């Protein structure tokens, strides 16, 4: 990320929002003491503050809650087989589509955590951002179930197959909806091939950085199969250092693809173009934020 044009920036509401959201999350009592300690090391509020440096306080709150949702879903599904993961996935999707419905007694706590998050989010999110979030988050959570099946079977994918799945399991696309919360980004803009390609580039930058930073921790805990470095080592017969070099070169290629793609963005008129520029600036900032957070937090430290 040395030459990435978007510099590090952090939201001025970071400290106060972190305290509020972290305290609220502990109130669910959803984690064991060990998992709670792991959560505290992650500092997900910092990731949100880096990713949304210009967001108003109410949107930063939602962003922080979303990061906590990602963590708790990972924490619960990463240790489960495919059948149990699918049950949790169905609960999460149902909670998103029924944010005002009381969850069934005895249900996994994921349902209530997700329900409360989404019930608050829709109070200030535009209808288009809500729809885009639901579509992309559903893709993410369904991919988590596929990852669980791979884990159960001890399956390590080749590079292309892995990247196809990882673009969804990294969950990045649904986080981009936070940038849309205060705008009406038309579907014809959101789904335009040039915009979609730019989004895919940022998703890949995020997953490459994440997998490079997390590989050592994952291989030390026996969970390295769902990682780009493992896929590269398996398919190309490289050692870890060689796979890291491959990933870094691929990262540089994706960076160039994104920068070149900016010149291809069409115009939808002055008022919409301002929103498109803001959205693209946001997702580009996410790539920088993810890279910074990987080293500023203790998420990937053993």
């Amino acid at each position: 990320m040395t030459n990435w044009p978007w510099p590090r920036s952090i939201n001025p509401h970071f400290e106060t929002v972190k305290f509020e959201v972290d305290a609220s999350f502990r109130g669910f009592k959803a984690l064991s003491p060990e998992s709670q300690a792991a959560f505290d090391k992650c500092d997900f509020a910092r990731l949100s503050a880096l990713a949304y440096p210009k967001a108003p306080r109410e949107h930063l709150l939602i962003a922080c809650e979303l990061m906590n949702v990602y963590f708790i879903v990972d924490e619960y599904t990463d240790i489960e087989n495919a059948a149990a993961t699918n049950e949790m996935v169905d609960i999460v999707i149902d909670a998103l589509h029924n944010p005002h419905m009381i969850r069934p007694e005895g249900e996994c706590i994921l349902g209530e955590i997700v329900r409360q998050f989404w019930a608050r989010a829709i109070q200030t999110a535009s209808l288009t951002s809500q729809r885009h979030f639901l579509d992309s988050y559903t893709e993410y959570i369904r991919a988590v179930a596929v990852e669980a099946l791979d884990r159960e079977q001890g399956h390590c994918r080749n590079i292309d197959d892995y990247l196809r799945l990882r673009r969804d399991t990294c969950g990045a696309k649904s986080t981009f909806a936070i940038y849309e919360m205060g705008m009406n980004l038309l579907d014809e803009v959101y789904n335009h091939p040039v915009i979609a390609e730019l989004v895919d580039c940022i998703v890949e930058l995020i997953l490459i950085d994440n997998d490079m930073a997390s590989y050592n921790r994952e291989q030390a805990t026996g969970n390295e199969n769902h990682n780009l470095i493992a896929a590269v080592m398996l398919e190309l017969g490289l050692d870890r250092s060689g796979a890291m070099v491959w990933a870094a070169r691929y990262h540089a290629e994706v960076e160039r693809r994104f920068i070149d793609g900016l010149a291809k963005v069409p115009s939808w008129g002055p008022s919409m173009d301002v929103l498109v520029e803001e959205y693209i600036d946001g997702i580009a900032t996410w790539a920088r934020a993810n890279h910074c957070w990987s080293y500023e937090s203790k998420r990937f430290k053993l």
Side-chain angles (χ1 to χ4, degrees):
M1 295 296 286
T2 302
N3 298 316
W4 191 241
W6 286 264
R8 180 191 183 278
S9 182
I10 194 162
N11 195 294
H13 302 295
F14 165 50
E15 295 290 351
T16 56
V17 168
K18 172 182 170 60
F19 179 82
E20 180 178 341
V21 173
D22 286 359
S24 175
F25 187 65
R26 287 191 189 93
F28 288 111
K29 295 181 171 57
L31 298 172
S32 66
E34 182 181 0
S35 293
Q36 184 64 54
F39 169 81
D40 293 340
K41 289 180 180 179
C42 291
D43 200 0
F44 287 113
R46 178 178 296 275
L47 174 56
S48 298
L50 290 166
Y52 311 102
K54 301 174 184 177
R57 189 179 191 280
E58 63 269 23
H59 290 172
L60 181 62
L61 272 166
I62 298 303
C64 289
E65 288 191 351
L66 176 57
M67 294 306 136
N68 291 349
V69 165
Y70 278 117
F71 174 84
I72 195 69
V73 167
D74 275 353
E75 195 71 8
Y76 273 57
T77 60
D78 276 354
I79 59 172
E80 294 291 352
N81 59 26
T85 298
N86 271 303
E87 289 180 9
M88 293 179 183
V89 166
D90 289 342
I91 288 170
V92 168
I93 292 175
D94 184 71
L96 285 172
H97 287 279
N98 299 284
H100 303 303
M101 185 181 297
I102 297 173
R103 302 307 303 168
E105 187 175 347
E107 182 185 74
C108 173
I109 192 63
L110 292 181
E112 181 60 14
I113 293 174
V114 171
R115 185 198 71 77
Q116 288 192 26
F117 151 72
W118 192 234
R120 280 188 286 271
I122 60 179
Q123 293 176 19
T124 58
S126 67
L127 292 177
T128 52
S129 71
Q130 291 179 41
R131 188 169 64 253
H132 296 158
F133 174 84
L134 288 173
D135 288 346
S136 55
Y137 191 88
T138 300
E139 290 176 355
Y140 151 74
I141 198 74
R142 290 296 187 199
V144 167
V146 176
E147 178 188 352
L149 181 60
D150 281 358
R151 184 171 60 247
E152 183 178 328
Q153 297 177 344
H155 178 51
C156 185
R157 294 169 176 259
N158 64 35
I159 296 170
D160 286 344
D161 284 349
Y162 173 77
L163 287 173
R164 257 192 301 274
L165 180 61
R166 186 68 170 120
R167 290 183 192 108
D168 289 331
T169 61
C170 78
K173 286 183 181 179
S174 46
T175 68
F176 299 161
I178 299 293
Y179 297 117
E180 294 185 67
M181 291 183 75
M183 66 173 74
N184 181 26
L185 194 65
L186 300 176
D187 287 348
E188 66 180 274
V189 175
Y190 181 82
N191 295 318
H192 192 280
V194 172
I195 302 299
E197 171 66 13
L198 292 175
V199 167
D200 284 345
C201 285
I202 298 301
V203 169
E204 292 212 338
L205 293 181
I206 290 170
L207 75 85
I208 295 166
D209 277 333
N210 183 275
D211 284 11
M212 292 177 76
S214 67
Y215 178 77
N216 189 48
R217 181 177 182 275
E218 289 172 357
Q219 64 84 24
T221 55
N223 294 312
E224 72 273 21
N225 276 359
H226 193 68
N227 188 291
L228 178 61
I229 302 305
V232 172
M233 291 170 68
L234 177 68
E235 181 174 338
L236 302 182
L238 299 173
D239 61 13
R240 182 170 57 185
S241 295
M244 288 287 181
V245 170
W246 186 97
R249 288 174 178 164
Y250 183 58
H251 191 285
E253 175 189 322
V254 177
E255 285 185 61
R256 285 193 297 271
R257 204 163 75 225
F258 180 83
I259 298 299
D260 291 345
L262 294 176
K264 302 174 185 176
V265 176
S267 173
W268 287 274
S271 59
M272 185 56 62
D273 289 352
V274 170
L275 300 182
V276 171
E277 183 178 354
E278 180 181 338
Y279 180 72
I280 292 174
D281 181 71
I283 65 173
T285 298
W286 229 113
R288 171 64 70 189
N290 177 69
H291 182 266
C292 291
W293 171 78
S294 295
Y295 296 96
E296 293 178 26
S297 77
K298 297 179 181 178
R299 169 65 165 164
F300 302 125
K301 292 181 173 62
L302 292 169

